[in-house]
Amino acid sequence: MEIQEAEMVVRLEVVRKTYGGVAALDGVSLSVRAGEAVAVMGPSGSGKSTLLNMVAGLDKPSSGKVVVGGDDVSGMGEAALARFRRRRVGMVFQFFNLLDDLPALDNVALAGRLVGVPARKARARAAELLEELGLADRRDAYPAVLSGGERQRVGVARALMNRPALLLADEPTGALDSATGEQVAELLLDLNRKGQTLLLVTHDEALATRCATRVVEFVDGRIVREAELERGGSWGVR
Amino acid sequence: MGRPVSAVWAASRAGVRRRRMQTGSIGLVVALATATLVFGLGLLSASHSMFDDAFAKARGAHAAADFDAARTTEAQVAATAHGSGVTAAAGPFRTVTLARPDGPSEVPMQSEGLTVAGRADPGGPVDRLSLTAGRWVRGPGEIVLRGKPMGPFRLGGKVTSPGRPELTVVGFAVSATGGVDGWVTPAQVAALRPDGFLMEYRFARAGDPAEVRRSLNAAAAGLPVRGYDSYMTAKREFEGRFNQLVPFITVFGILALTVSVFIIGNVVSGAVISGFRHIGVMKALGFTPGQVTSVYVGMVAVPTAAGCAVGLAVGHLLAGRMVANLSENFELPSAGGVSLPLEAAAGGGVLALAALAALVPALRAGRLPAVQAISAGTVSRRGRGRRVQRWLVRTRLPLPVGLGLGLPVARPARAAVTLAGLCLGVTAVTMGLGLHQTVTKIMTADTESRTSVRVGVDPRNPAGSMSADRLAATVRAQPGTAHVTASVQRPMRVPGLATGASAETYSGDYRPFLGDNLVRGRWFTGPGEVVPSEAFMRLQGLHVGDPLSVQVDGTRLTLKIVGAFSHPDTDRFMLDAASLPAAKGRPEPPLLLVIVKDGTDPAAYAAQLNKTGASAGLFAETAAPDLADRALFSGLFLVFSLIICTAAALGVLNSVLLGARERARDLGVLKAVGMPPRRVVLMMVTSMAALGVAGGAIGVPLGVLAHHGVVELTGDLLGSGMAAPWIHVYGWALLLLPACVGLAVAVLGAWPPAVRAAAVRTATVLRSE
């Protein structure tokens, strides 16, 4: 039992989140084990992004408990949440959310600087990551001149900068064409194969079935279906 | 037609609601700027027409004539009210001059005594009096004095005069007309044995002293006039004192106007520019360029109109109070503050300026294609700025500091405007601090202000023939005496001065009494040396070292000019008493000036001297310096500094507000990757703190230069010159304060929107993006 608990990276206990009386999450309980790749699917407004925000510590539940890496996120103050975000999780956004005034290298290094890594070391680690992700020659390019796929890879590199226990991805291919989306999916799959725990929110069934080891489907703030998957298998979203 | 208009109105209202802090800051900035504008205009207007306004409002008399009661009858004098050229008249009021009592008096009286008129009420067709304290006289034994309570000159004081009943001071009043020092009831004046009639006239023609004299002669129609006071004399006296302040007030007024215009332009146009992206979206939805422009002008118009109304009211009150204080300080009836047409013009000007500041960028946005307008709403994407930002982030500076320092670079134009606002604020505070020091030094630099106690001899006292030496010896024997000098005024003829001059001679231990008001050279150290006023030196084109031939009591002698002191009058000379031959006939009684030892109370010292010296016929009075001008100037400085700094802080607040809105997504991202709120605050505050430091670094030297320029110009305009200690007033401490003001204003202005930006929920920001 203790071993199981230690392996548990994310645990949501009867989490409820309401906005102006409307429940975005309605008593959700969910666990993610270390090394798992969980895809959360569902139609718009089903509560997927709300769930991701709870896990990332960007939002707090109205009731229930969110535990990530052993820390109860729901009870943390703003400063503790900031510490939690920079140490425990890495986030990949649909629209990349890079800082436009900084080149790729500094966008990635920024996450390291926030945890106190000296500027030079942070840049060296960022350069390594960019090289791993095939962006060695684009390290000094600003986001505006990068393609969508390149920007998303910079976003992934930034998310991995502090070697987080959990990588969160919110529609990581949503703003990309299919070919570029394919590259990003391959990247996520590769990361998970190397042991990176992944919680993925997506509309894209192909992405989910390709990358995830488990799929959870949300409708109206509730989990309506959950199943382990063989990678590349079929899910059949309703 | 109705629907588009309602759509524009709805969009404007939504904009106002959505941007509460910005709307609030526009309203506040406009209110502050309008108040400053009205205040500045009030001061400028007061500086140029205060006497005339006060004179017109109080229906001051062009001439106050004194008729000898022994040679005229009341009816004859009253008939002059209908004389040729008289447009209004008051009187006749019966008058008497109360002689100065022996020894000390609770009420300071001139050696020629106190002229009192019997007057039933302070109103009337001419010379309406304004009470500054207490009430008007109601019965016997009461007197209202000219001026205002000051030091020992207070309500409840007693006016005593040999052989006359004692009078209690029940009020103080100011008049725009000279001639009388106090007022009692007509019944009371009859009991004081009056010997004159006072008539006050307003004439159809009174443009210059000669016209006043001609008009008075025509009105008097041959009745013998014992003497008269022309309003021109009072006006000149007022101008002589007030003109010293005019350059300072003008500079502050102009600064206030500049800051107002600047901040309104900055904040209002900034609000529109920050809405470019939204403007693009509206155009994409089908709003016409005209409608888009209307929405944004409308959005700015609501807080602008409200701020303008509040500002007008506050400015009206402030200016009224300040002009009233000025008037009171110069013992004039209040001119009533800023005129309503001027206020209306100020309000109209503010609205026009705000409309212009909003229209120019809004029209530009209206003409832009929607896509371009959308992209114009984001921060700059190119140029040198980015290299600087990249460099800053790569330095060893803490990350929020590096990122914060880079923010102004992303918006160089806005940063430049904010910096200019901060510079203006720091310049104003630096100059204001310096001018405050200068005015204080001017007011305390003369001999009078160094004196603690004045000691004199009553000439009517039989014991009053005591020599200056004996008198000085008596005073020196008094415990607590530090320095004593005897000062005597001697008439002197000087080539080039047709009306003669006045020599202020000093004997004894005079060095500690000589002030810091030397413009050039040095003070006299012994006989044969003279220090004229700078105005005389300039008039005659003389230099230090030149000889000066003078004539005193018929004796010609040549003195050596060793220095010049700052004074606008050309007939003032200071020298050692031994430089001049002994006075012929009965000498002028000397006035002894005393500086008491540290720790000695001048009042107690004077009281003791009055007790011990009464038999010798001497009396002592504390020399209470008139610090009203200084207090007034301090108040002015404080008000202006506060207004200018607040306006500059609001400029910063606006800048951060706009920056935070534009960078909402970036801030969200930073928080999402783990930047805690306090570091976000630090980053935003750092961005402005850098400008604050730069504002201090640029504003302080500018302020010092401006101060030197204004002070030297004032000295030149007055012809009095300025003493070096009045110009070089800045020490390190005095420079450090305004340098810190730039930083403080920037941090204070940046703090509220930075905290607000840091507190925005990350998920919301990232979702809305």
Side-chain angles (χ1 to χ4, degrees), chain A residues 53 58-59 78 82 85-86 93 97-103 105-106 110 113-114 123 140 142 158, chain B residues 380-381 386 389-390 393-394 397 399 663 665-666 669-674 676-677 679 761-763 766:
Chain A
N53 287 338
L58 295 176
D59 213 342
E78 277 297 316
R85 282 196 291 270
R86 58 186 189 236
F93 301 92
N97 282 335
L98 300 177
L99 297 184
D100 295 324
D101 293 326
L102 296 180
L105 184 75
D106 292 289
L110 185 85
R113 295 287 308 278
L114 279 169
R123 280 208 306 282
D140 289 325
Y142 284 89
R158 181 179 65 188
Chain B
S380 89
R381 299 276 174 258
R386 284 186 148 178
Q389 284 180 294
R390 188 177 61 187
V393 168
R394 290 182 177 184
L397 289 169
L399 188 64
R663 294 184 170 274
R665 184 185 64 97
D666 287 0
V669 172
L670 285 169
K671 287 180 74 180
V673 296
R679 286 212 220 172
R761 287 175 61 241
T762 314
L766 295 180

Side-chain angles (χ1 to χ4, degrees), chain B residues 326-488:
Chain B
L326 271 173
S327 306
E328 193 184 305
N329 197 46
F330 288 97
E331 299 186 0
L332 282 174
S334 175
V338 193
S339 70
L340 285 176
L342 201 61
E343 283 182 1
V350 165
L351 291 177
L353 177 71
L356 192 71
L359 258 178
V360 171
L363 284 172
R364 195 176 133 228
R367 284 198 302 271
L368 277 179
V371 175
Q372 255 181 287
I374 290 171
S375 64
T378 55
V379 285
S380 89
R381 299 276 174 258
R382 305 192 183 287
R384 187 177 297 164
R386 284 186 148 178
R387 285 199 289 276
V388 176
Q389 284 180 294
R390 188 177 61 187
W391 176 77
L392 283 167
V393 168
R394 290 182 177 184
T395 60
R396 291 184 175 192
L397 289 169
L399 188 64
V401 176
L403 286 170
L405 290 175
L407 290 181
V409 184
R411 277 286 192 198
R414 184 180 301 153
V417 173
T418 309
L419 177 63
L422 283 166
C423 279
L424 211 58
V426 173
T427 303
V429 171
T430 308
M431 193 171 72
L433 272 173
L435 290 180
H436 180 247
Q437 286 291 107
T438 298
V439 170
T440 304
K441 284 184 180 232
I442 289 175
M443 287 172 181
T444 55
D446 61 359
T447 307
E448 192 72 4
S449 63
R450 295 194 166 193
T451 304
S452 335
V453 174
R454 280 189 296 262
V455 184
V457 180
D458 192 315
R460 286 159 304 194
N461 190 311
S465 55
M466 184 195 273
S467 73
D469 290 345
R470 220 184 112 206
L471 188 65
T474 310
V475 172
R476 269 195 207 97
Q478 166 87 5
T481 307
H483 305 281
V484 183
T485 183
S487 170
V488 176

Side-chain angles (χ1 to χ4, degrees), chain B residues 365-745:
Chain B
R367 284 198 302 271
L368 277 179
V371 175
Q372 255 181 287
I374 290 171
S375 64
T378 55
V379 285
S380 89
R381 299 276 174 258
R382 305 192 183 287
R384 187 177 297 164
R386 284 186 148 178
R387 285 199 289 276
V388 176
Q389 284 180 294
R390 188 177 61 187
W391 176 77
L392 283 167
V393 168
R394 290 182 177 184
T395 60
R396 291 184 175 192
L397 289 169
L399 188 64
V401 176
L403 286 170
L405 290 175
L407 290 181
V409 184
R411 277 286 192 198
R414 184 180 301 153
V417 173
T418 309
L419 177 63
L422 283 166
C423 279
L424 211 58
V426 173
T427 303
V429 171
T430 308
M431 193 171 72
L433 272 173
L435 290 180
H436 180 247
Q437 286 291 107
T438 298
V439 170
T440 304
K441 284 184 180 232
I442 289 175
M443 287 172 181
T444 55
D446 61 359
T447 307
E448 192 72 4
S449 63
R450 295 194 166 193
T451 304
S452 335
V453 174
R454 280 189 296 262
V455 184
V457 180
D458 192 315
R460 286 159 304 194
N461 190 311
S465 55
M466 184 195 273
S467 73
D469 290 345
R470 220 184 112 206
L471 188 65
T474 310
V475 172
R476 269 195 207 97
Q478 166 87 5
T481 307
H483 305 281
V484 183
T485 183
S487 170
V488 176
Q489 302 269 344
R490 301 273 307 269
M492 184 166 81
R493 298 202 67 79
V494 179
L497 294 181
T499 52
S502 169
E504 284 173 33
T505 68
Y506 293 88
S507 57
D509 182 16
Y510 54 69
R511 186 63 196 95
F513 292 85
L514 301 175
D516 287 330
N517 49 349
L518 267 188
V519 177
R520 43 181 154 162
R522 60 169 173 81
W523 284 112
F524 52 91
T525 52
E529 296 178 341
V530 65
V531 177
S533 69
E534 175 68 13
F536 173 79
M537 296 285 274
R538 290 187 185 196
L539 181 75
Q540 302 290 328
L542 292 169
H543 299 96
V544 171
D546 286 349
L548 180 70
S549 295
V550 301
Q551 196 177 341
V552 180
D553 282 347
T555 308
R556 286 184 179 281
L557 60 150
T558 301
L559 301 166
K560 184 184 176 191
I561 297 173
V562 293
F565 66 96
S566 174
H567 204 280
D569 292 345
T570 52
D571 57 355
R572 300 272 307 270
F573 298 83
M574 290 169 76
L575 66 167
D576 189 309
S579 299
L580 305 184
K584 289 176 183 167
R586 192 178 175 189
E588 175 90 4
L591 179 69
L592 287 193
L593 308 177
V594 181
I595 295 175
V596 295
K597 284 181 179 162
D598 283 345
T600 305
D601 174 26
Y605 177 91
Q608 183 60 32
L609 201 55
N610 279 325
K611 214 156 108 185
T612 56
S615 57
L618 62 80
F619 67 91
E621 288 171 335
T622 54
D626 180 3
L627 295 178
D629 288 350
R630 193 170 147 194
L632 176 88
F633 198 81
S634 298
L636 257 180
F637 159 75
L638 191 71
V639 168
F640 264 112
S641 298
L642 273 178
I643 288 178
I644 290 171
C645 286
T646 312
L650 284 170
V652 170
L653 181 139
N654 182 64
S655 189
V656 174
L657 208 58
L658 298 180
R661 183 172 304 127
E662 284 170 0
R663 294 184 170 274
R665 184 185 64 97
D666 287 0
L667 296 180
V669 172
L670 285 169
K671 287 180 74 180
V673 296
M675 185 178 270
R678 61 188 163 77
R679 286 212 220 172
V680 175
V681 173
L682 176 63
M683 181 180 82
M684 301 297 280
V685 171
T686 300
S687 69
M688 290 296 120
L691 295 181
V693 170
I698 301 168
V700 168
L702 281 180
V704 172
L705 284 176
H707 168 268
H708 287 6
V710 167
V711 173
E712 283 174 9
L713 184 69
T714 306
D716 287 342
L717 288 175
L718 296 174
S720 60
M722 286 285 164
W726 302 347
I727 300 171
H728 305 290
V729 294
Y730 293 101
W732 284 111
L734 204 62
L735 291 175
L736 199 63
L737 181 68
C740 294
V741 161
L743 180 63
V745 161

Side-chain angles (χ1 to χ4, degrees), chain B residues 199-221:
Chain B
M199 270 304 280
E200 297 178 322
Y201 304 99
R202 284 179 70 83
F203 299 125
R205 301 170 73 87
D208 57 53
E211 263 191 357
V212 173
R213 197 171 53 245
R214 278 198 295 276
S215 295
L216 178 61
N217 286 340

